[in-house]
Amino acid sequence: MARIRKRSIQLSKLCSFACCRSSSQDEHAQIGQKGYSRVVYCNEPDSQEQIRLRYRGNYVSTTKYTAVNFIPKSLFEQFRRVANIYFLVVACVSFSPLAPYSAPSIILPLVVVIGATMAKEGVEDWRRNLQDIEANNRKVEVYDKSSCSFRQTKWKDLRVGDLVKVCKDEYFPADLLLLSSSYEDVVCYVETMNLDGETNLKLKHALNVTSFYSSAESLKEFRAVIKCEDPNEHLYSFIGTLYFDCQQYSLSPQQILLRDSKLKNTEYIFGVVIFTGHDTKVMQNATDPPSKRTKIERRMDRIIYVLFSTLILVSFIGSLFFGIETNNDLSGGNYTRWYLRPDKTTVFFDPRRPAVAAFLHCLTGLMLYGYLIPISLYVSIEICKVLQSIFINQDQAMYDEEMDRPAHARTSNLNEELGQVHTILSDKTGTLTCNSMEFVKCSIAGTLYGRGMTEVEIALARKRGEQLTEQAPIDASESKKSIKGFNFRDERIMDGKWVSEPQSDVIQKFFRVLATCHTAVPEVMGPDEIMYEAESPDEAAFVIAAREVGFEFFARNQTSIKLRELDPTSGIRVDRVYELLHVLEFSSARKRMSVIVKNPENQLLLLAKGADSVIFERLSKEGRAYEERTKEHIEKYSEAGLRTMAVAYRELDNDEYKTWEQEFLKAKTSVSADRDVLMDELACQIERDLILLGATAVEDKLQKGVPGCIDKLARAGIGIWVLTGDKRGTAINIGYACSLLRHGMKQIVITLELPEILAQEKEGDKEAIAEASLNSIKLQILKAKSQVTEESSTEFGLIIDGKSLTYAMDKNLVNSFMDLAMRCATVICCRSSPKQKAVITRLVKSVTGRTTLAIGDGANDVGMLQEADIGVGISGVEGMQAVMASDFAIAQFRFLERLLLVHGHWCYRRISMMICYFFYKNITFGFTLFWFEAYTSFSGQPAYNDWYMSCYNVFFTSLPVIALGVFDQDVSARLCLKHPLLYQEGVRNILFNWPRILGWMFNGLLSSIIIYFLTTNSITGPAFRKDGQVADYSVLGVTMYTCVVWTVNCQMALSINYFTWIQHLFIWGSIAFWYIFLVVYGSIPPTLSTTAYKVLVEACAPSILYWLTTLLVVIAALLPLLSYRAFQIRFRPMEHDRIQIQRRRPESTEYDATQRRLSESSEARTSSELPSEVRIRIDNLKASSKRKN
Amino acid sequence: MDTNGATTSSAAGGGSTSKSSSKKHSRKPVYSRFTQQELPACKPILTPGLVISTFTIIGIIFIPLGLVSLSASEKVVEIVDRYDESCVPSDYSNDKLKFIQNPSINKSCVRTLTVPKLMKSPVFIYYQLDNYYQNHRRYVKSRSDKQLRSVSDEKSTKDCSPEDKTVDGPIVPCGLVAWSLFNDTYVFSVNSKTIEVNKHDIAWKSDKEHKFGSNVYPKNFQSGGLIGGAKLNSSVPLSKQEDLMVWMRTAALPTFRKLYGKIEQDLQANEKIQVVIQNNYNTYSFSGKKKLVLSTTSWIGGKNDFLGIAYIIVGGLCLFLAVCFILLYVIKPRPLGDPSYLSWNRSPAGHPN
């Protein structure tokens, strides 16, 4: 047995690594049928048969466009927006005489806008393309039959059937069938981080029949045919058959190496390419995340429709009047307006057919008033959002030093949604907690060890108002260096002092169990440094704890485990070798794991650790010595939010073991379907009559700053749901620790762990159980609801477990359940499955109709993240899966506070202001055109020169609005965090509700009226200069346009709160640019500049009246907003106004003092209740929003 | 402040770059006041003080400005005489159209104007038309700037239809605008002594020098079936036809004045001016008024009370608002930071969602 193999540790015997079992036989029968038709001729990629099948090459392309289809496809994408189609139609029609403007002046802005968007698409796609090129040109060694050797090829040149060699730490270029590896038992280790985010190594092993092909020479003769399933996206299944040597062998996922996973701990492997390129499972999985649209965008679409209706209405009114006027041109056989030559006119102005003329004029009107629709709105918003995301990415306050990870906005189109989050759905492990387990306490032989205090305990102690004895400093000075996963302080045990403890033999046994009963693999990093690669962080914590106490596990091979431990008699550290006989693996069903070892004294031992409930029921009579006390301790631990595990052992009798082993091996090698059941039963047989040693307590550490962050978010009025797989007790404790549940909060628990239900369960009638459960849940919900309505002044925390949740989600109950849940400040769903998480998220989203944010870190949260309006991934230890599915990635939960309260608030404010302002400026402009129309008998003559108008959206007004969208801040980041209630502006959508939007539109209308009538009355009529010249069409156009540019830009200056040099530059620069434009445009020959020729230099600038009119009109047009704002701030200040004013006068007002007091107290407490004032305010808010709903 | 902000931020940025580059491959965002959104900024707030002072300042500036403009406008002396009705002989008063369209009837008509106040030279003569849509799209577009500018573009009459060409070739100047050229004439005399009317320099300089070519001569003008308005002397280049240039600067609104000429002598108060009007232009078919205007100018231009009044009104409004705010502040002083005035603590109807 002790044959030395080259570096081979036959870990395959540790079944726990095997993640999937071979699929059952009936599936294999489907081979060759529909969906299972793939045929691979191994090592014969050039054969006729293989080529005839025409499988895709290994070239992958993740780009949206190709060089050929970029133009048409991206154009198509652009014109999926209604507004853009409108502009395209207008551009096309502009070549006809219908057009009020010259065609180029219409086409240019469209080209600029579409071009900018396309350029953005192009750049993004180019980046993807570069990644593709990199991936496609990676090198891999492919077997060349002619030379019997491997030669380097690019990934993209791989074909189905090729034999490839992949070396250590290389990625697999395609989905491969594992033939053989550098290990003699043809296993290899794979890291699938890129696929599912799991960092632990997975074991794959080849079929034994192919294991002989382990050298380049032998491969020459290798011929086989694989028939298998068609490409699909299921990562964990594979069905196929290998036809080799006239024999059939079933293939399972165990033999499949997936593209983009990595070969680890194995020198090299040989494999056959089965799926290439886009057929690979990873590429089949690579669907775009569901594209999410924000509420603001959806509302914006509606506003666009409103504007379109206005546009149509206005054109209709225009054409109606035009029709009447045209009709009047012919009265009683005489042509009234003879100077228009109505006798020899075109169809557009024909008084004999006024209806046709009016209809055609309506089309003209649709083009003329097209300025009501902001052409550059979409592209400006996109630019702003991209820049906003850059700010999010660049924020130093959201950078995690430890992980070296800044925040990352993966999609830029959800920024403003961050400011409107109503409910946060959070994962627990890895999100609220670090998912780094720390061994903090243990109970050995009924004695408590471990003096450290967990955060939960501190929080609980605070809650009880106990005075805490400061002990943290002692710890800090005492510990030489903090060890990850170990936070155990007890001078009775540490540094070998356990020897002098009364129960030292039990302590020794206890730690021996911890050091041997596991599946971790040691990695010797240096002389004194050993790292462990373990399946779960709990396990690593145990091994580390054992090492720190003096039971160092330093080597493992397939048959033995080596420890270096202190010999209590001699006091020297000696190496002990435990012969590893069997590993009875951990599973969630068994809730325990055990190993059978033979110690150096030749004793056969079964060492076990597992959940207390499972272990306690397997204790022998004499093994229960410490049962009572240990139980007590476990209770205490779990109250303190710790994860507990009971530790026990058993000495095996040689004969008993022999008989058992025979049976066990037989079961193990059997191929029947019930092999697993059989093995479980056998494991049960041997895992009995245990002797209890003690229990461990591991702390699932809270992430830094979590309680504070949750407290802030709660004060911002955001509801928080925690969806966790934990037990109820643990979940509640964590809830307290991170101030989700607060003192004075009433807990409502909905559970099925009631005696009557349990009794029913024993009977086993499934339908009866279901019915009883449903009724019970219904009753509980009703009871809770009446409680909530009765005592509306207190806060409630709802705790529900996964099983009850399935019943609560019943369609008859779901509404009342959600109603209850919405009234609770905190909801904790424990024992919920990943799927339930997604379902709950969808429900919360659909029932409330508000914005939900899901935050999680693991692969199990992906569904939830994609379902929620916003998915935030924590780039923590559990890999990148969640991050890949998320919209925003942050490194720590506490950054959520800044992401929402600061960036969310800002972005929401910016985008909503920006859109309102956009509509304002276009309505102002568009309606001046309309008023002018009224004075041209609605003939469709624009008030301005064509090119002034086409530059309006693109040059004179775009930059300030972008600056608003990117830089504006109502209050600074510090104040945003200090006044979390400010966030409610977004949740209640105060800045983008219909009254506000319509208010801005009304303001635009008002501005246009003021501009038009004041300008025309001031400037036209008598001479406007000293030299007697009168203002003509071109002068009026320039004057009005000047007023529009000034008004619109000054209105912007009035409504933003934040002036940096950028704002100044853009706002005043835009106005200056208008004058520059006039001078430049006016100096080109008159055939091109037409009415604009020298109009400023010669006509307007020397006229004092022109400047006086500008001043008058601009001030008059600003007055409505200015006085509205002044009155509003005085009588109905919004939250940000209040804070701004407060900031001005920090020393004064009583309110500020209370605020300071509040913030002080909030800093002091970690888990205390909300300040009453804040709570009352939140209650008011909720009440008012409810009334509206 | 601006430049300060820029330099400090760039300096800070530079500093942290060097620091982070020493740390290997740190993904820490580089600090700069720009990326951290901490640029120096002024954050104006509409405090009561600011509001009151803004309104007061606007009022204080606007009212004097209005008064000054109003007085400038008052100084302008203007004589307006509507002659379209009275210049039609009484026997045609029921069918004015017939009168104006009949070329054989003598259209001259004598009007007497009284100078109310001393009119200092130059006195500008305008004709004012009413209900005349020079800004009608069909009308505005019906011209060819190219053709007006150079001889070589004579044939570019694309937009001029129906006045684009005759059987003899293109019309110069083409289009409805030129075709409908105003053709009433005025001759002024005081005490039977003719007053010289200077018709030079009534057009814009740019028109004379750039828009209307000095080598472009009228061709085939008003030679078609229907005669629109005035005829042009085909031996005078367009750049010298100032009446045409004035006419072709289309007016913005249906009521407009156009410069006819200048009288370069003072007109004394109470002087009686005799005007002999050739009432040729047809405004009767669309019932438009015709007026003759004599006006002096001031720095503000012609007689224009509107601007002054508007200034005074806006200024007065601002002062009124300022007073309102002051009163509010005096009568009901209230700490603005008072939390009980939070928008959502009050009736939700105020901010319906």
Side-chain angles (χ1 to χ4, degrees), chain A residues 339 341 988 1018 1028 1098 1108, chain B residues 126 133 163 206 304 311 353:
Chain A
Y339 52 89
R341 287 302 293 272
R988 303 189 62 234
S1018 310
E1098 190 188 26
L1108 276 181
Chain B
Y126 302 93
Y133 287 89
E163 293 299 326
S206 62
N304 184 1
Y311 260 107
N353 195 1

Side-chain angles (χ1 to χ4, degrees), chain A residues 406-472:
Chain A
H408 179 45
R410 298 186 68 249
T411 49
S412 61
N413 56 350
L414 292 176
N415 295 345
E416 76 270 17
E417 198 89 332
L418 285 178
Q420 295 186 278
V421 173
H422 181 257
T423 314
I424 295 177
L425 298 115
S426 172
D427 172 45
K428 199 214 79 190
T429 313
T431 307
L432 300 175
T433 61
C434 301
N435 199 20
S436 78
M437 303 294 169
E438 281 193 346
F439 188 89
V440 279
K441 288 172 194 231
C442 58
S443 151
I444 307 169
T447 317
L448 282 171
Y449 291 102
R451 301 211 189 281
M453 235 183 163
T454 66
E455 281 200 42
V456 181
E457 281 178 299
I458 296 168
L460 288 175
R462 283 237 175 86
K463 196 183 106 191
R464 287 190 222 104
E466 284 168 15
Q467 205 59 40
L468 282 177
T469 46
E470 275 308 318
Q471 48 171 284

Side-chain angles (χ1 to χ4, degrees), chain A residues 336 338-341 394 396 404 910 939 988 1018 1023 1026 1028 1032-1033 1059 1093 1098 1108 1130 1135 1138, chain B residues 27 29 36-37 42 126 133 137-138 163 205-206 249-250 282 285 297 302 304 311 332 342 353:
Chain A
T336 49
W338 56 269
Y339 52 89
L340 297 176
R341 287 302 293 272
Q394 289 291 322
Q396 277 196 320
D404 186 26
R910 288 166 182 172
S939 64
R988 303 189 62 234
S1018 310
K1026 189 154 170 51
D1032 64 338
Y1033 166 76
F1059 276 96
Y1093 185 66
E1098 190 188 26
L1108 276 181
R1130 175 119 193 100
E1135 186 74 13
R1138 202 175 51 73
Chain B
R27 279 186 284 180
Q36 301 309 309
Q37 309 192 52
C42 75
Y126 302 93
Y133 287 89
R137 184 155 65 104
R138 178 168 162 78
E163 293 299 326
K205 201 168 143 234
S206 62
R249 278 253 173 177
T250 51
N282 175 13
S285 62
T297 55
N304 184 1
Y311 260 107
K332 280 175 83 180
L342 275 185
N353 195 1

Side-chain angles (χ1 to χ4, degrees), chain A residues 265-304:
Chain A
N265 287 0
T266 314
E267 283 307 315
Y268 61 87
I269 59 107
F270 294 140
V272 183
V273 176
I274 307 175
F275 297 116
T276 46
H278 290 275
D279 290 342
T280 56
K281 296 206 180 242
V282 64
M283 294 305 287
Q284 294 272 319
N285 256 299
T287 46
D288 290 327
S291 78
K292 298 172 178 174
R293 298 194 72 206
T294 62
K295 291 199 166 53
I296 286 195
E297 261 178 63
R298 268 173 267 161
R299 183 167 279 186
M300 190 170 81
D301 282 352
R302 259 174 278 155
I303 301 171
I304 296 264

Side-chain angles (χ1 to χ4, degrees), chain B residues 137 210 278:
Chain B
R137 184 155 65 104
H210 299 286
Q278 287 297 323

